Amino acid sequence: DGGITQSPKYLFRKEGQNVTLSCEQNLNHDAMYWYRQDPGQGLRLIYYSQIVNDFQKGDIAEGYSVSREKKESFPLTVTSAQKNPTAFYLCASTLRQGYYGYTFGSGTRLTVV
Amino acid sequence: LAKTTQPISMDSYEGQEVNITCSHNNIATNDYITWYQQFPSQGPRFIIQGYKTKVTNEVASLFIPADRKSSTLSLPRVSLSDTAVYYCLVGNTGFQKLVFGTGTRLLVSP
């Protein structure tokens, strides 16, 4: 079945550490996105990528980095510069042509310990 | 991007019909209206999408008036499992940076 796989489901990070969240899709979607969600809040866009080897900052990119070396993969690194990284992180993808809506992964819950 | 406004929360009982209205006064001619459902600790799930008039699928109906400045998501005979947050979004291509507001938190009680 096609879909988006995020891993791990839960992640714990120590202060000062970088961690990388994985996002893989087998939907042949062109665009991929990373969102952050805090308790009781909506989703805020961190980074997005429309094609391989290209990506743009979203509304809250500070303290995060991404890469898009393959069409199916869009990993997110939460760096030590992100002062409040504890949140629920969601990856999404969509087709390039037309407007078919987003497909989301099941999310990664990151906690700083 | 067209901004949307929807109620913060709604309460209902099992078996009732629930209508959630979304206002999008600045919708563009080529914008579509899409609704998503999100359960706790899960990613949002596509429910329904429409451009004008009425769209119905196995889960919900979407009513869009002629001026398209609002839309109403209708959930027939809700059950406890429909308790979730519902987001209304407006956009015209898959590339847009969709803006998710806080959505409408629907609580269905027995």
Side-chain angles (χ1 to χ4, degrees), chain A residues 21-42:
Chain A
L21 284 58
S22 172
C23 178
E24 303 277 336
Q25 55 99 359
N26 60 3
L27 300 165
N28 200 31
H29 282 176
D30 303 287
M32 298 186 73
Y33 308 77
W34 274 105
Y35 285 89
R36 169 181 172 142
Q37 187 173 37
D38 293 288
Q41 302 298 312

Short mmCIF file of all heavy atoms in Angstrom, two decimals, chain A residues 21-42:
data_model
loop_
_atom_site.label_atom_id
_atom_site.label_comp_id
_atom_site.label_asym_id
_atom_site.label_seq_id
_atom_site.Cartn_x
_atom_site.Cartn_y
_atom_site.Cartn_z
N LEU A 21 14.66 13.18 12.06
CA LEU A 21 13.39 12.50 11.90
C LEU A 21 13.28 12.05 10.44
O LEU A 21 13.52 12.83 9.53
CB LEU A 21 12.23 13.43 12.25
CG LEU A 21 11.94 13.71 13.72
CD1 LEU A 21 13.12 14.32 14.45
CD2 LEU A 21 10.71 14.60 13.83
N SER A 22 12.86 10.82 10.27
CA SER A 22 12.79 10.25 8.94
C SER A 22 11.38 10.38 8.36
O SER A 22 10.38 10.25 9.08
CB SER A 22 13.19 8.78 8.98
OG SER A 22 12.95 8.15 7.75
N CYS A 23 11.31 10.63 7.05
CA CYS A 23 10.04 10.66 6.33
C CYS A 23 10.26 10.06 4.95
O CYS A 23 11.07 10.56 4.17
CB CYS A 23 9.51 12.08 6.20
SG CYS A 23 7.96 12.17 5.27
N GLU A 24 9.56 8.98 4.67
CA GLU A 24 9.67 8.29 3.39
C GLU A 24 8.28 8.09 2.81
O GLU A 24 7.36 7.70 3.51
CB GLU A 24 10.32 6.91 3.58
CG GLU A 24 11.69 6.93 4.23
CD GLU A 24 12.79 7.22 3.23
OE1 GLU A 24 12.59 6.95 2.03
OE2 GLU A 24 13.86 7.70 3.65
N GLN A 25 8.14 8.37 1.48
CA GLN A 25 6.84 8.15 0.83
C GLN A 25 7.03 7.34 -0.44
O GLN A 25 8.03 7.48 -1.14
CB GLN A 25 6.15 9.50 0.54
CG GLN A 25 6.97 10.49 -0.26
CD GLN A 25 6.67 10.54 -1.74
OE1 GLN A 25 5.82 9.80 -2.25
NE2 GLN A 25 7.36 11.44 -2.45
N ASN A 26 6.06 6.47 -0.71
CA ASN A 26 6.10 5.65 -1.92
C ASN A 26 4.89 5.96 -2.80
O ASN A 26 4.37 5.08 -3.50
CB ASN A 26 6.17 4.16 -1.59
CG ASN A 26 4.98 3.71 -0.76
OD1 ASN A 26 4.07 4.49 -0.47
ND2 ASN A 26 4.98 2.45 -0.38
N LEU A 27 4.44 7.20 -2.74
CA LEU A 27 3.27 7.65 -3.50
C LEU A 27 3.67 8.33 -4.80
O LEU A 27 2.80 8.76 -5.56
CB LEU A 27 2.47 8.64 -2.64
CG LEU A 27 1.94 8.07 -1.32
CD1 LEU A 27 1.50 9.19 -0.39
CD2 LEU A 27 0.80 7.11 -1.59
N ASN A 28 4.96 8.45 -5.04
CA ASN A 28 5.48 9.17 -6.20
C ASN A 28 5.03 10.65 -6.19
O ASN A 28 4.83 11.25 -7.25
CB ASN A 28 5.07 8.51 -7.51
CG ASN A 28 5.97 8.94 -8.67
OD1 ASN A 28 7.15 9.22 -8.49
ND2 ASN A 28 5.40 8.99 -9.86
N HIS A 29 4.86 11.17 -5.00
CA HIS A 29 4.50 12.58 -4.86
C HIS A 29 5.72 13.46 -5.07
O HIS A 29 6.84 13.11 -4.71
CB HIS A 29 3.89 12.85 -3.48
CG HIS A 29 2.48 12.40 -3.36
ND1 HIS A 29 1.77 12.47 -2.17
CD2 HIS A 29 1.62 11.89 -4.27
CE1 HIS A 29 0.54 12.04 -2.37
NE2 HIS A 29 0.43 11.67 -3.63
N ASP A 30 5.47 14.63 -5.65
CA ASP A 30 6.58 15.55 -5.93
C ASP A 30 6.95 16.39 -4.72
O ASP A 30 8.12 16.60 -4.41
CB ASP A 30 6.19 16.48 -7.08
CG ASP A 30 5.80 15.72 -8.32
OD1 ASP A 30 6.70 15.17 -8.97
OD2 ASP A 30 4.59 15.67 -8.63
N ALA A 31 5.96 16.93 -4.05
CA ALA A 31 6.20 17.88 -2.96
C ALA A 31 6.09 17.19 -1.60
O ALA A 31 5.25 16.32 -1.39
CB ALA A 31 5.18 19.02 -3.03
N MET A 32 6.97 17.61 -0.70
CA MET A 32 6.95 17.08 0.67
C MET A 32 7.08 18.24 1.65
O MET A 32 7.66 19.27 1.33
CB MET A 32 8.06 16.06 0.87
CG MET A 32 7.92 14.84 -0.03
SD MET A 32 9.12 13.54 0.31
CE MET A 32 8.49 12.88 1.86
N TYR A 33 6.50 18.03 2.83
CA TYR A 33 6.39 19.12 3.81
C TYR A 33 6.67 18.59 5.21
O TYR A 33 6.38 17.43 5.51
CB TYR A 33 4.96 19.69 3.81
CG TYR A 33 4.43 20.09 2.45
CD1 TYR A 33 3.98 19.13 1.55
CD2 TYR A 33 4.36 21.43 2.08
CE1 TYR A 33 3.49 19.49 0.31
CE2 TYR A 33 3.86 21.79 0.84
CZ TYR A 33 3.43 20.82 -0.04
OH TYR A 33 2.94 21.19 -1.27
N TRP A 34 7.17 19.48 6.06
CA TRP A 34 7.29 19.18 7.48
C TRP A 34 6.50 20.23 8.26
O TRP A 34 6.66 21.44 8.05
CB TRP A 34 8.74 19.21 7.95
CG TRP A 34 9.46 17.93 7.76
CD1 TRP A 34 10.38 17.62 6.81
CD2 TRP A 34 9.31 16.75 8.56
NE1 TRP A 34 10.83 16.33 6.96
CE2 TRP A 34 10.18 15.77 8.03
CE3 TRP A 34 8.53 16.41 9.67
CZ2 TRP A 34 10.30 14.49 8.58
CZ3 TRP A 34 8.65 15.16 10.21
CH2 TRP A 34 9.53 14.20 9.66
N TYR A 35 5.65 19.71 9.18
CA TYR A 35 4.87 20.58 10.06
C TYR A 35 5.21 20.25 11.51
O TYR A 35 5.53 19.12 11.85
CB TYR A 35 3.38 20.37 9.85
CG TYR A 35 2.82 20.97 8.58
CD1 TYR A 35 2.80 20.23 7.40
CD2 TYR A 35 2.31 22.26 8.56
CE1 TYR A 35 2.28 20.77 6.23
CE2 TYR A 35 1.79 22.80 7.40
CZ TYR A 35 1.78 22.06 6.25
OH TYR A 35 1.26 22.60 5.10
N ARG A 36 5.04 21.24 12.34
CA ARG A 36 5.16 21.06 13.79
C ARG A 36 3.80 21.35 14.42
O ARG A 36 3.12 22.31 14.03
CB ARG A 36 6.21 22.01 14.34
CG ARG A 36 6.22 22.11 15.86
CD ARG A 36 7.24 23.07 16.36
NE ARG A 36 7.08 23.26 17.80
CZ ARG A 36 8.07 23.41 18.66
NH1 ARG A 36 9.34 23.40 18.23
NH2 ARG A 36 7.82 23.58 19.95
N GLN A 37 3.42 20.54 15.39
CA GLN A 37 2.17 20.76 16.10
C GLN A 37 2.41 20.72 17.60
O GLN A 37 2.94 19.74 18.12
CB GLN A 37 1.12 19.72 15.71
CG GLN A 37 -0.26 20.01 16.29
CD GLN A 37 -1.32 19.08 15.75
OE1 GLN A 37 -1.07 17.90 15.52
NE2 GLN A 37 -2.51 19.62 15.51
N ASP A 38 2.02 21.78 18.28
CA ASP A 38 2.09 21.85 19.73
C ASP A 38 0.71 21.55 20.30
O ASP A 38 -0.30 21.72 19.61
CB ASP A 38 2.59 23.22 20.16
CG ASP A 38 4.04 23.44 19.74
OD1 ASP A 38 4.92 22.80 20.36
OD2 ASP A 38 4.30 24.21 18.79
N PRO A 39 0.65 21.13 21.55
CA PRO A 39 -0.64 20.73 22.14
C PRO A 39 -1.74 21.76 21.96
O PRO A 39 -1.56 22.94 22.28
CB PRO A 39 -0.28 20.53 23.62
CG PRO A 39 1.16 20.17 23.61
CD PRO A 39 1.77 20.97 22.50
N GLY A 40 -2.88 21.30 21.44
CA GLY A 40 -4.03 22.17 21.27
C GLY A 40 -3.89 23.21 20.17
O GLY A 40 -4.74 24.09 20.04
N GLN A 41 -2.84 23.08 19.39
CA GLN A 41 -2.60 24.07 18.33
C GLN A 41 -2.75 23.46 16.95
O GLN A 41 -2.78 22.23 16.79
CB GLN A 41 -1.18 24.65 18.48
CG GLN A 41 -0.92 25.30 19.82
CD GLN A 41 -1.83 26.47 20.08
OE1 GLN A 41 -2.00 27.35 19.23
NE2 GLN A 41 -2.44 26.50 21.25
N GLY A 42 -2.80 24.32 15.95
CA GLY A 42 -2.81 23.86 14.57
C GLY A 42 -1.41 23.48 14.12
O GLY A 42 -0.47 23.45 14.92
#
